[in-house]
Amino acid sequence: MKKSYKILLLLVMAVAIAVVPLIMIKDSEFGGADGAAEEVIEEIDPNYEPWFDSIIELPGGETESLLFALQAALGASVIGLGFGYFIGRNKEYNKQ
């Protein structure tokens, strides 16, 4: 099996690991900082009205966690590619 096929298989498996729980587990709740902050604000000022509401209501808390994890993975990939590019460029420059 070629290296590129192995990498593709690993990527497909990683996506499946992230997507399958979203499909199988419905209406689960994961608490976060936003929910905790909302509770504290309601304790301090019960009449507080938020400035705006979310445009899109996500189906569950796990979706929000998935999007955050994907954002972190994308950011880490960009940083890794940047380091790889500069290290490769430096090695090529030192050969000359």
Side-chain angles (χ1 to χ4, degrees):
M1 194 179 223
K2 288 186 174 181
K3 188 175 182 177
S4 61
Y5 290 120
K6 288 181 183 178
I7 292 172
L8 183 62
L9 178 65
L10 288 173
L11 287 173
V12 168
M13 289 173 52
V15 169
I17 288 172
V19 172
V20 168
L22 289 175
I23 295 170
M24 296 183 72
I25 301 172
K26 300 290 183 188
D27 299 328
S28 61
E29 289 295 325
F30 293 97
D34 293 341
E38 184 179 347
E39 291 174 8
V40 171
I41 290 171
E42 286 182 3
E43 282 182 19
I44 295 171
D45 185 8
N47 298 323
Y48 177 77
E49 290 291 324
W51 294 356
F52 58 90
D53 292 324
S54 297
I55 296 172
I56 300 171
E57 289 295 325
L58 300 174
E62 73 276 359
T63 308
E64 188 174 327
S65 298
L66 172 69
L67 292 175
F68 180 76
L70 289 175
Q71 178 185 3
L74 180 64
S77 298
V78 168
I79 291 171
L81 286 171
F83 277 125
Y85 172 77
F86 286 119
I87 289 171
R89 188 177 74 173
N90 191 22
K91 285 182 181 179
E92 190 64 32
Y93 178 75
N94 289 336
K95 282 183 182 179
Q96 297 173 356

